[in-house]
Amino acid sequence: MRCLALSLLALVGCGTESGGRSDVAGVAAGGSEAATANGVDVAAAIGGFSEVDGTPFLRADLGTGRGGGYSVSGRGEYAETTNVLFYDTRSREGRWLFPEADQVVLQSAELRDSTRVRAFLYVLLEADTNGDGDLDADDDRTVALSDPGGRRLVRLTERARRFRQSVRLGDGAELVLFDDADGVQAVEVGLDALAVRARTPLPAPPAGAP
């Protein structure tokens, strides 16, 4: 898997359709087997690749430590996922989900049918919303969806206090539930176009509720 990671690094210089940079992990256009970031082998910071079922794509997490230091995935060191690398086996192109590696991916999940992945759901820390200088559990969360190849990212909210769950609806839609400062929110998204179909604030608890 390490050899695959090194090979893919040479292709990441193509960037992303959303303006991704080839230097997210210190990789120059064209790449090299000696590519490094902050003096540490970048390939070691990229986890194992997994197939995205029903698609031509592979994906792997980029794990980095606090303060920008890179950690070796799978060897006991603490690391946070800060980006996701996708590889298209048909076009032979690699792309990063985000243009930089300064967010934290708290959760990611497949949204799938029985035979294929339709989209990915992410819960992210992207901004120091409480002003304490850290991205941590006290900051608001972003809830977002991407297509199976990481070519498009759609943010449903950037101020969630809590992600609750997602529920598959009919007609290729997903219902995403989260809390923000105004209460519980329900957002219905069509998975083919990643288009928001409806946003519904749920009623507040009745008077006298704990």
Side-chain angles (χ1 to χ4, degrees), residues 2 29 34 39 68 75 77 129 138 162 167 171-172 191 195-196:
R2 180 180 174 83
R75 299 184 185 177
E77 294 89 342
T129 57
D138 295 325
R162 171 191 176 193
V167 179
D171 193 26
L191 295 181
V196 174

Side-chain angles (χ1 to χ4, degrees), residues 78-129:
Y78 174 74
E80 293 174 331
T81 297
T82 58
N83 214 323
V84 184
L85 176 61
F86 288 85
Y87 179 64
D88 187 333
T89 61
R90 290 179 181 170
S91 65
R92 299 174 182 169
E93 293 178 340
R95 63 177 61 87
W96 292 102
L97 181 62
F98 304 103
E100 297 183 5
D102 55 2
Q103 57 281 311
V104 176
V105 182
L106 295 175
Q107 299 178 46
S108 65
E110 295 178 346
L111 303 180
R112 59 177 300 143
D113 295 333
S114 59
T115 60
R116 67 183 176 113
V117 174
R118 302 284 299 277
F120 287 100
L121 184 147
Y122 305 92
V123 181
L124 313 166
L125 293 176
E126 293 191 295
D128 176 22
T129 57

Side-chain angles (χ1 to χ4, degrees), residues 171-184:
D171 193 26
E174 192 84 9
L175 183 67
V176 181
L177 299 161
F178 57 86
D179 300 356
D180 63 17
D182 298 322
V184 182

Side-chain angles (χ1 to χ4, degrees), residues 133-149:
D134 290 317
L135 290 179
D136 54 34
D138 295 325
D139 292 312
D140 291 344
R141 290 152 170 74
T142 296
V143 180
L145 299 179
S146 81
D147 64 49

